[in-house]
């Protein structure tokens, strides 16, 4: 149970970030999780021990870089499962979400990948796809290649973007799912210049990490 | 008739604006807002046509400062027609903004600028087909050599149309838009924005959020991503019909030098250091002549006029204010901006932003903030004017603090003219370094405490090109004029107030009151405090006043080296000058300004006290 509580905490923190709210303190976090303060203390200590979350001196709790990666993985597992229950099995959305909440902690990465591929192959309720832009790839499969890991000179296709609520400019510049980008330059820290629609765009490592791509 | 120029950054919009209106264009406060928009007028068929140059944006949605300004302007409906300026070399990307503009149902004219560059790159665009696809007039121009520029205003006045092109959004989005526009009295663009979680009406946002959640559940993509993808798709469909591509984009070899850690970073340091040195040398030379000339031509005649004392005081104060304004603007701001405009037009600044992004992150900012910080080394006023381009309020607040701490050329003058001259070059360098360390520490601290989410860098790299000196000069001049508009009235007002206080003996009274404090805590003579206060008007005035009050230009004779050091350090850290404060209020609000003033005041006093304490203990 310890791991599942920890993963729930990560998930809630990521959602909180996504909604642009300031980091919660212990009490608020327990409230968001619908649990008592004592129930989450153990997991919190464990998470901060492993470096996934940072406990600030003012009592607020924030995700670390590695914690954010873990949290995304949990959210992705949740999405794939929820989609499977909802679209393939025809369950009600909230019920699908609840089931996904339970299963997401114990399922292996391989199973999720295969399930994701299966859903993608079947298409959303057999509906015809009007074109690459209308229904881009990557439903909820775990991100195997973030743009951050790609090398200079490679051409990749954007598969999905983790919207942390600050990527509007990215979309305006044409970095949208389905679009091809070329990596032009990369600094030691992972900041890169990519070419999209004939224009060069500089992005910082954090942003590059939230863009999921596939090789063309 | 009121026309407005809309377009992405770097499409030559301002160049078109300048060549249409000439240099006489008025930079004015846009009515009802605190935003400065360039406005000019053109005569067409005996009618006055007002032309507004909107800031360059990529989208009419989004929350950045410029996007807000443009949206505000467009929703007010003041413009009778929009002139959409598109970069012919990047038609597809530029059409994205155009497609958003057509949703506003305003008559538009499409200007296909940089057509010469497109031709050179082997891109040919079928303007007739584009015209018939979009249903609006299309003018292919080249602002650089003036091709077809004269046709813009006549066509916009007589022939602008509402485009009949329409982006077909995903069926779910369309259904949601139909639902929202059915329930609420809103137009299509507002509904689309609401679906992306943007807007003002909380009730509308609530309904939109529940619809958006369903759509996102089905697509596993945010509504913003779907909408953007649909628009880009539409732009691509249009472009693929009208454009014939030339040779693929070539990687410019010089660019590789600028955007790799080595030699990019040494080049960056070299360029910035060179500019600072040049501005400092040119600036001090011109300033000496200018301030000297004004003293001879204005101050001395006033003294010889034998006016009543009160009137004399007011007249002197006004002259001092004018002296302060010109003493900063012409010698320092103008040359600095000529250099920076050059860099900006060449596209180099975006490369600098990319290289410094990582270091800036530590300070709670990102790469784009290098521009205000560098500008701050020349003068804080233009630096603060440029922080409006930063994407979040958090970054603007942090930048407000850091920029006002950056030692501007005036403060460098104090360090050089007082510390280096009377105490030695080593203490002067140490002080300069200390101030920079304070900037870094403040950044490190603020990045921890400031509220809000940190944004990553997402910045389009402007293409590298050789800048046109005329454009750079024009741009520099526009900025200096902006400085005068903002700072001059305040400078004159505060100078008169300070003068009157002096006349009424209040400054003397204050000096007596502060005497125990200044002698015991800071270890400097009370008249040095008066000099510090005058330094708020213009930083270089602090040492100048000190020379007068001390009764000798040889400070070493009346003050100890420690006292001189305390004075210099305090005047460098002390509250920024009044012009800086004025711009700060405009850019970041009264609260931040008060915080900055309080912080710098505390910092100055603490530093002064620390120096005194340490030296007496030793």
């Amino acid at each position: 149970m310890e791991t599942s509580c920890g993963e729930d905490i990560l998930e809630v923190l990521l959602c909180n970030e996504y909604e642009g709210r300031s980091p919660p303190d212990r009490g608020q976090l327990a409230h968001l999780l619908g649990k008592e303060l004592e129930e989450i203390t153990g997991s919190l200590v464990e998470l901060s021990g492993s470096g996934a979350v940072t406990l600030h001196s003012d009592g607020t709790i924030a995700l670390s870089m590695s914690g954010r990666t873990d949290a995304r993985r949990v959210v992705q597992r949740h999405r794939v499962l929820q989609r499977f229950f909802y679209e393939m099995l025809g369950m009600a959305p909230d019920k699908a979400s609840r089931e996904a909440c339970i299963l997401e902690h114990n399922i292996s990465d391989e199973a999720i990948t295969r399930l994701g591929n299966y859903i993608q192959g079947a298409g959303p309720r057999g509906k015809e796809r009007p074109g690459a832009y209308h229904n881009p790839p990557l439903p909820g499969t775990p991100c195997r290649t973030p743009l951050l890991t790609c090398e200079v000179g490679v051409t990749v296709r954007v598969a999905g973007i983790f919207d942390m609520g600050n990527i509007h400019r990215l979309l305006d510049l044409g970095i949208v799912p389905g679009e091809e980008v070329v990596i032009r330059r990369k600094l030691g820290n992972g900041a890169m210049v990519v070419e999209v629609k004939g224009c060069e765009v500089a992005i910082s490592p954090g942003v590059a990490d939230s863009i999921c791509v596939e090789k063309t | 008739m009121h026309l407005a120029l809309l377009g992405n950054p770097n499409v030559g919009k301002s160049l078109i604006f300048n060549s249409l209106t000439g240099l006489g264009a008025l930079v004015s406060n846009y009515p009802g807002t605190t935003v400065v928009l360039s406005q000019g007028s053109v005569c067409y068929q005996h009618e006055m046509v007002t032309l507004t140059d909107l800031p360059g944006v990529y989208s009419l949605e989004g929350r950045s400062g410029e996007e807000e300004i443009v949206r505000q302007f467009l929703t007010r409906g003041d413009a009778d027609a929009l002139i959409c300026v598109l970069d012919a070399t990047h038609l597809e990307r530029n059409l994205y903004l155009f497609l958003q503009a057509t949703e506003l149902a305003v008559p538009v004219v499409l200007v296909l600028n940089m057509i010469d560059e497109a031709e050179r790159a082997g891109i040919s665009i079928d303007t007739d087909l584009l015209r018939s696809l979009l249903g609006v007039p299309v003018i292919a121009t080249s602002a650089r050599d003036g091709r077809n520029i004269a046709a813009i205003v006549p066509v916009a006045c007589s022939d602008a149309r509402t485009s009949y092109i329409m982006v077909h959004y995903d069926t779910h989005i369309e259904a949601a838009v139909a639902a929202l526009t059915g329930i609420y009295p809103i137009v299509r663009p507002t509904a689309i924005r609401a679906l992306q979680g943007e807007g003002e009406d909380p009730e509308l946002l609530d309904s939109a959020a529940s619809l958006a959640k369903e759509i996102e559940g089905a697509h596993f993509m945010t509504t913003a991503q779907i909408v953007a993808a649909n628009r880009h798709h539409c732009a691509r469909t249009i472009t693929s019909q009208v454009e014939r591509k030339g040779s693929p984009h070539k990687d410019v070899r010089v660019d590789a030098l600028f955007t790799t850690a080595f030699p990019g970073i040494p080049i960056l340091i070299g360029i910035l250091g060179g500019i600072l040195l040049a501005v400092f040398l040119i600036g001090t030379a011109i300033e000496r002549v200018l301030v000297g000339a004004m003293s001879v031509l204005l101050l001395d005649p006033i003294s010889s006029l034998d006016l009543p004392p009160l009137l004399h005081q007011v007249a002197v104060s006004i002259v001092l204010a004018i002296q302060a304004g010109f003493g900063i603007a012409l010698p320092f701001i103008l040359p600095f901006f000529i250099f920076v405009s050059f860099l900006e037009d060449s596209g180099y600044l975006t490369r600098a932003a990319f290289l410094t992004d990582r270091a800036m992150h530590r300070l709670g900012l990102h790469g784009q903030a290098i521009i205000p910080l560098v500008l701050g080394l020349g003068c804080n006023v233009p630096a603060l004017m440029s922080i409006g381009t930063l994407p979040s309020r958090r970054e603007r607040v942090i930048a407000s603090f850091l920029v006002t701490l950056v030692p501007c050329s005036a403060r460098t003058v104090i360090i050089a003219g007082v510390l280096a001259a009377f105490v030695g070059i080593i203490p002067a360098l140490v002080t300069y370094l200390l101030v920079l360390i304070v900037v870094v520490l403040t950044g490190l601290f603020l990045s921890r405490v400031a509220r809000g989410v940190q944004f990553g860098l997402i910045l389009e790299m402007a293409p590298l090109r050789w800048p046109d000196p005329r454009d750079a000069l024009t741009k520099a001049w526009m900025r200096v004029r902006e400085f005068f508009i903002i700072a001059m009235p305040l400078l004159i007002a505060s100078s008169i107030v300070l003068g009157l206080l002096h006349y009424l003996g209040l400054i003397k009274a204050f000096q007596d009151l502060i005497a125990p404090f200044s002698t015991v805590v800071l270890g400097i003579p009370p008249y040095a405090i008066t000099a510090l206060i005058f330094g708020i008007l213009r930083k270089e005035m602090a040492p100048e006043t000190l020379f007068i009050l001390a009764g000798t230009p040889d400070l070493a004779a009346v003050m100890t080296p420690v006292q001189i050091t305390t004075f210099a350090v305090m005047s460098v850290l002390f509250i920024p000058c009044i012009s800086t404060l004025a711009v700060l209020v405009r850019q970041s609000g009264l609260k931040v300004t008060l915080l900055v003033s309080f912080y710098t005041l505390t910092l100055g006093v603490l530093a002064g006290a620390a120096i005194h304490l340490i030296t007496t203990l030793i």
Side-chain angles (χ1 to χ4, degrees):
Chain A
M1 278 318 277
E2 278 305 302
T3 42
S4 82
C5 183
E7 287 185 345
D8 281 336
I9 290 173
L10 294 179
E11 201 177 342
V12 163
L13 285 174
L14 186 72
C15 293
N16 196 61
E17 252 179 35
Y18 167 67
E19 280 157 21
R21 286 197 292 258
S22 49
D25 58 28
R26 282 159 196 263
Q28 288 162 335
L29 184 64
H31 176 74
L32 286 172
L33 286 159
K35 289 185 176 170
E36 289 303 315
L37 193 55
E38 298 78 54
E39 289 179 76
I40 64 165
T41 310
S43 304
L44 266 182
V45 171
E46 212 167 277
L47 284 174
S48 80
S50 67
V53 300
T54 327
L55 306 176
H56 288 301
S57 49
D58 60 349
T60 57
I61 302 151
L63 284 173
S64 70
M65 199 71 166
S66 71
R68 198 166 292 126
T69 315
D70 291 344
R72 277 184 198 153
R73 202 174 296 132
V74 180
V75 170
Q76 268 158 352
R77 276 188 256 157
H78 181 101
R79 285 187 178 184
V80 172
L81 286 167
Q82 183 189 0
R83 197 170 166 201
F84 180 70
F85 293 138
Y86 171 59
E87 288 187 5
M88 301 285 140
L89 306 184
M91 290 166 74
D94 55 331
K95 208 165 179 195
S97 178
R98 267 203 306 279
E99 290 290 333
C101 258
I102 298 165
L103 282 176
E104 70 192 12
H105 305 298
N106 296 318
I107 193 160
S108 72
D109 281 347
E110 194 199 347
I112 279 293
T113 310
R114 285 177 185 276
L115 197 55
N117 289 341
Y118 173 72
I119 300 173
Q120 197 179 332
R125 289 185 204 148
K127 213 170 62 182
E128 200 200 344
R129 295 170 183 224
Y133 273 93
H134 288 273
N135 220 331
L138 187 105
T141 44
C143 183
R144 273 162 296 187
T145 11
L147 182 59
L148 187 64
T149 59
C150 297
E151 290 312 313
V152 174
V154 179
T155 306
V156 291
R157 180 181 297 119
V158 177
I161 304 170
F162 273 101
D163 195 339
M164 306 297 289
N166 55 6
I167 53 146
H168 218 288
R169 177 62 50 83
L170 212 55
L171 303 176
D172 296 335
L173 290 173
I175 302 180
V176 289
E179 185 68 40
E180 274 184 19
V181 302
V182 187
I183 292 121
R184 283 269 167 230
R185 209 95 54 209
K186 193 174 174 186
L187 294 185
N189 63 335
M192 49 172 72
V193 176
V194 296
E195 189 188 323
V196 55
K197 291 182 186 285
C199 304
E200 292 194 329
V201 179
I203 49 181
S204 53
V207 178
D209 191 37
S210 66
I211 302 172
C212 192
V213 298
E214 51 194 24
K215 298 265 154 61
T216 50
Chain B
M1 196 77 183
H2 191 162
L3 305 173
L5 284 158
L6 176 75
N8 284 358
N10 284 312
V11 294
K13 213 162 41 66
S14 298
L15 202 52
I16 292 180
F17 177 78
N18 286 339
S19 51
L20 283 178
T21 59
L23 267 184
L26 195 75
V27 185
S28 63
N29 256 350
Y30 195 70
T33 67
T34 50
V35 169
V36 178
L37 285 178
S38 308
Q39 256 173 3
S41 43
V42 197
C43 204
Y44 172 64
Q45 290 187 343
H46 311 294
E47 204 194 327
M48 265 291 243
V49 178
T50 314
L51 197 63
T52 301
D53 188 18
L54 296 170
V57 290
Y58 293 105
S59 166
L60 299 181
E61 290 157 1
R63 299 184 177 97
S64 83
E66 290 104 335
E67 285 159 346
E68 292 280 358
I69 295 167
V70 172
R71 198 162 50 231
Q72 251 178 43
F73 177 87
L74 292 177
T75 45
R76 285 166 67 107
D78 287 0
D80 299 304
L82 278 181
I83 303 170
C84 284
V85 185
L86 273 61
D87 173 0
T89 56
H90 298 118
L91 180 62
E92 186 185 325
R93 232 282 310 287
N94 278 245
L95 271 174
Y96 179 82
L97 179 68
F98 175 84
L99 290 172
Q100 289 189 39
T102 60
E103 285 175 358
L104 297 171
V106 183
V108 285
V109 175
L110 195 158
V111 171
L112 214 49
N113 197 26
M114 303 200 204
I115 196 76
D116 53 332
E117 270 185 47
E119 282 162 3
R120 269 199 297 279
I123 300 169
S124 63
I125 295 168
D126 187 342
T127 46
D128 291 325
L129 184 57
L130 189 61
R131 182 178 301 131
S132 59
L133 279 176
L134 301 177
V136 299
V138 177
I139 313 168
T141 65
S142 160
R144 249 179 198 219
D145 41 22
R147 201 202 300 181
N148 269 344
I149 295 296
I152 296 176
V153 172
V155 173
C157 285
S158 58
D159 217 19
R161 292 215 182 147
T162 318
S163 171
Y164 48 65
I165 191 95
M166 218 167 141
V167 181
H168 294 289
Y169 292 107
D170 175 89
T171 43
H172 293 108
I173 299 271
E174 291 286 1
V177 167
L180 287 176
T181 46
I183 305 168
Y184 299 95
I186 50 168
V187 287
R188 189 176 155 90
T190 317
I192 295 172
R193 273 187 67 220
L195 279 175
Q196 299 174 63
E198 282 182 32
E200 287 75 35
D201 181 2
E203 207 184 316
L204 165 68
L205 283 180
D206 239 28
S207 331
S210 58
L211 287 169
K213 206 165 178 193
E214 253 174 62
I215 299 173
E216 287 175 2
H219 283 261
F220 287 83
M221 254 163 94
T222 62
T223 41
Q225 291 181 23
I226 304 171
V227 166
N230 292 157
R231 282 186 190 137
H232 281 300
H233 181 61
C234 182
R236 173 163 290 175
T237 318
I238 296 168
T239 313
S240 64
Q241 291 177 65
V242 300
E243 185 190 77
R244 193 155 318 150
K245 266 267 183 288
S247 49
H249 178 86
K250 270 197 246 57
D251 204 8
V252 190
R253 198 175 297 164
V254 196
D255 206 9
L257 296 179
F258 288 153
T259 48
T260 40
F262 187 85
I265 289 172
I267 291 177
L268 175 69
I269 294 171
I271 289 179
L272 294 185
I275 288 180
L276 282 181
L277 196 68
V279 168
F280 187 67
L281 292 177
I282 298 171
T284 35
I286 301 180
E287 192 202 15
R288 196 166 300 153
V289 176
L290 205 69
V291 172
M294 279 201 195
S295 302
V296 175
L297 293 176
L298 288 170
L299 272 184
D300 296 353
I302 287 174
S303 308
S304 62
L305 268 182
D306 224 11
L307 291 166
L310 182 62
L311 210 60
H312 175 256
Q313 186 63 56
V314 172
V316 167
S317 301
I318 292 175
V319 171
L320 277 182
I322 294 173
Q323 211 178 24
F326 279 92
I328 305 170
L330 291 182
F332 294 105
I333 304 184
L334 186 62
F336 196 78
F337 269 149
I338 293 176
F339 285 117
V340 170
S341 302
F342 237 87
L343 278 191
E344 215 169 37
D345 284 358
S346 70
Y348 181 73
L349 277 188
T350 50
R351 272 125 192 113
F354 172 61
L355 282 179
T356 52
D357 184 47
R358 186 187 197 177
M360 286 296 170
H361 260 268
R362 300 262 158 85
L363 305 182
L365 295 166
H366 68 62
Q368 249 174 309
I370 185 75
I371 298 163
L373 288 184
V374 169
L375 289 178
L377 289 168
C379 175
N380 289 176
V381 172
L384 287 172
M385 293 197 288
S386 68
I387 63 171
T389 57
L390 299 179
S392 71
R393 164 108 188 130
R394 173 192 144 102
E395 279 172 67
R396 286 195 290 275
V397 170
I398 295 180
S400 305
F401 271 89
L402 299 193
V403 164
T404 43
L405 280 174
V406 166
C408 63
S409 47
R411 284 179 247 192
T412 316
V413 169
I414 298 178
I415 295 177
V418 177
L419 260 184
F422 296 110
V423 184
I425 192 80
I426 302 287
L429 288 177
V430 169
T431 308
Y432 199 81
L433 204 69
L434 219 64
V435 177
L436 291 181
I437 291 173
V438 168
V439 172
V440 172
L441 288 180
T442 309
L444 287 176
F445 172 71
L446 284 177
S447 68
R448 270 155 218 275
V449 299
R451 292 195 159 265
V453 195
Q454 180 147 4
F455 284 73
L457 174 83
I458 305 170
L459 179 71
E460 187 193 1
M461 305 277 254
L464 276 184
R465 53 165 80 101
W466 195 248
D468 185 338
R470 271 177 315 170
D471 298 348
L473 285 176
T474 312
K475 227 175 186 172
W477 170 241
M478 304 269 274
R479 280 181 165 159
V480 171
R481 210 172 45 177
E482 226 172 290
F483 165 78
F484 276 119
I485 291 170
I486 295 173
M488 220 42 185
L490 229 123
L491 218 47
I492 291 178
S494 55
S495 179
I496 292 177
V497 170
L498 215 54
L500 287 180
L501 286 179
H502 184 69
Y503 175 77
L504 295 172
L506 285 175
I507 293 217
K508 184 79 180 64
F510 175 74
Q511 193 175 309
D512 293 339
L513 199 72
I514 203 88
F517 172 75
S518 73
T519 331
V520 174
V521 180
L522 303 173
I524 51 173
Y527 58 79
I529 300 278
T530 312
L532 282 179
I533 292 171
F534 273 94
I536 298 176
L537 212 54
R538 176 169 61 111
K539 279 285 165 180
E540 307 97 298
M541 257 177 88
E544 284 162 20
T545 318
L546 188 65
F547 294 151
I548 297 166
L549 292 176
T552 167
D554 184 22
L555 278 187
V558 288
M559 286 168 83
T560 63
V562 174
Q563 283 179 325
I564 296 176
T565 312
T566 312
F567 173 78
V569 169
M570 280 186 72
S571 59
V572 169
L573 290 177
F574 211 51
I575 299 185
C577 68
I578 193 83
S579 321
T580 306
L581 290 177
V583 186
L584 195 57
V585 172
R586 288 175 67 103
Q587 290 286 1
S588 309
L590 195 61
K591 203 177 130 199
V592 172
T593 311
L594 288 177
L595 270 175
V596 168
S597 308
F598 178 72
Y599 177 65
T600 46
L601 183 65
T602 320
L603 213 59
V605 172
L606 280 182
I611 295 176
H612 179 59
L613 192 69
I614 292 169
T615 47
T616 40
L617 282 181
I618 294 170

